Amino acid sequence: MPIRINADLPAKKILEKENIFVMDYERSMKQDIRPLEIIILNLMPTKQETELQLLRSLSNTPLQVDVTFLKAATHTSEFKNASASHMETFYTTFNEIKDHYYDGMIITGAPVETYDFEEVDYWEELVTIMDWSRTHVTSTFHICWAAQAGLYYHYGVQKYQLPEKLVGVFDHFTIHRRTELIRGFDDVFKAPHSRYTGIRRDDVENNEKLTILADSAEAGPFIIMAKGGRQIFVTGHPEYDVMSLDGEYRRDVAKQLDVIPFPKGYYKDDNPDRGPIKSWRCHANTLYTNWLNYYVYQMTTYDLKDIANMSWEDNIENFEDSVDL
């Protein structure tokens, strides 16, 4: 997939070295096709690391993707791990794009899960953006804390504090195998998690508008989809690189915390000195590819402004046909 990004974005050179096809705006304008417009609300403090992870995840189909990065204007302290010039050059604010329409949106996780949603200083801004996405975005993909936030705001699903941090790579099993979002998945697959809170399976199952597509005995519901595919909630971090959990673990060790959460199922023989096992990237790539293909590309309108006229339930019939209910 050619990803269309600013030619000066630092991630471009790294992706090109990894043999990932990225395209600058000048070259893309010579092609007589409309790229998919994807906006990423990046709430992670590690801005550039998250940029790379998501761009890698979006790079595995023949579709051309035009990526815009969005920041929370009401929480400037989150920019501490990215330069002011980087944020000014490569990020926009909601006020600048609120009249635009997008084929797809990704909302990342954020290290604020121990707070009540309403205590997060940019919660009101996030609520405005999530509400806006219902009429300005074809399909929205929520990751980790954003999945909990989206489930809470749109469907009233509560989050709960876990007895200890859930961190590691866990086994998951697929449900409703005919659903396009998990097409190509094995019966059992692995995915990383890193969080202090979770949701209860019963709260999701009792909401007729939500369907669990992948679950885990240890980590709980992993992939949840609202009818029609307009909203997708992923409670873990499929976009994580192989060293992401290692970086988190070593930061915790350096902080000399009283309790240092150890990532389960991540290191070879549970020994950090032996390095991590790369065990989830194939399914992670398939997840993002399926989302872009079936729930963005095949659902969106050619004229982006027509998204405003799409009913939120437009695709329920197609969804029910594709799910083994």
Side-chain angles (χ1 to χ4, degrees), residues 1-284:
M1 168 195 298
I3 301 175
R4 194 172 77 153
I5 56 178
N6 190 306
D8 296 322
L9 186 72
K12 183 173 184 288
K13 292 183 178 179
I14 299 174
L15 293 169
E16 287 175 335
K17 289 180 180 178
E18 296 175 2
N19 204 29
I20 292 175
F21 185 14
V22 292
M23 182 184 298
D24 60 36
Y25 295 122
E26 182 178 358
R27 179 177 178 183
S28 68
M29 291 300 291
K30 297 177 182 178
Q31 295 189 326
D32 190 22
I33 58 174
R34 181 177 81 74
L36 293 176
E37 298 283 346
I38 305 295
I39 187 164
I40 299 174
L41 175 56
N42 188 356
L43 300 173
M44 292 290 281
T46 52
K47 298 298 181 191
Q48 295 188 49
E49 180 179 331
T50 302
E51 291 164 14
L52 271 171
Q53 292 170 356
L54 290 173
L55 291 174
R56 288 188 182 112
S57 298
L58 296 173
S59 66
N60 293 285
T61 81
L63 302 170
Q64 182 177 313
V65 178
D66 189 348
V67 176
T68 300
F69 288 104
L70 180 65
K71 62 186 177 184
T74 50
H75 187 57
T76 55
S77 64
E78 68 165 344
F79 306 157
K80 61 183 179 180
N81 290 317
S83 69
S85 62
H86 182 90
M87 300 304 299
E88 182 67 24
T89 303
F90 302 114
Y91 281 73
T92 187
T93 63
F94 178 66
N95 281 339
E96 294 171 315
I97 57 90
K98 63 183 180 181
D99 294 327
H100 297 185
Y101 296 86
Y102 294 88
D103 300 298
M105 182 176 193
I106 296 174
I107 306 178
T108 74
V112 294
E113 58 202 81
T114 57
Y115 297 96
D116 290 339
F117 291 118
E118 292 80 5
E119 292 178 345
V120 176
D121 57 6
Y122 52 85
W123 176 249
E124 289 302 321
E125 181 181 9
L126 179 58
V127 164
T128 299
I129 293 171
M130 289 191 294
D131 194 55
W132 166 88
S133 73
R134 294 172 62 91
T135 55
H136 288 72
V137 180
T138 299
S139 181
T140 303
F141 193 105
H142 309 71
I143 301 172
C144 198
W145 178 81
Q148 296 179 1
L151 287 167
Y152 172 73
Y153 173 69
H154 291 296
Y155 301 102
V157 176
Q158 298 287 337
K159 70 178 175 73
Y160 299 92
Q161 191 78 21
L162 298 174
E164 59 184 18
K165 184 178 182 180
L166 178 77
V167 58
V169 180
F170 301 93
D171 285 337
H172 299 70
F173 59 91
T174 52
I175 312 170
H176 304 303
R177 293 293 305 280
R178 291 174 54 202
T179 308
E180 286 90 346
L181 189 62
I182 54 173
R183 179 169 289 177
F185 276 47
D186 293 325
D187 291 338
V188 178
F189 65 96
K190 295 184 180 294
H193 291 258
S194 179
R195 50 187 167 84
Y196 289 92
T197 56
I199 57 174
R200 291 177 180 167
R201 187 176 291 103
D202 289 347
D203 291 342
V204 179
E205 292 177 335
N206 290 335
N207 191 315
E208 62 179 11
K209 294 182 178 180
L210 299 172
T211 300
I212 299 173
L213 300 180
D215 202 357
S216 170
E218 292 182 89
F222 176 54
I223 302 174
I224 302 163
M225 186 162 67
K227 287 186 175 181
R230 298 290 300 273
Q231 297 166 323
I232 291 165
F233 308 95
V234 178
T235 60
H237 282 287
E239 80 286 355
Y240 265 11
D241 293 333
V242 67
M243 299 304 296
S244 296
L245 289 178
D246 179 72
E248 291 182 7
Y249 172 69
R250 295 187 186 280
R251 283 195 295 270
D252 289 343
V253 171
K255 292 177 182 177
Q256 298 181 330
L257 301 176
D258 292 335
V259 178
I260 300 174
F262 187 81
K264 298 179 180 179
Y266 176 60
Y267 292 115
K268 298 172 184 175
D269 299 325
D270 285 334
N271 183 351
D273 293 334
R274 298 201 61 194
I277 302 170
K278 187 177 182 179
S279 59
W280 66 90
R281 290 306 307 160
C282 288
H283 283 87

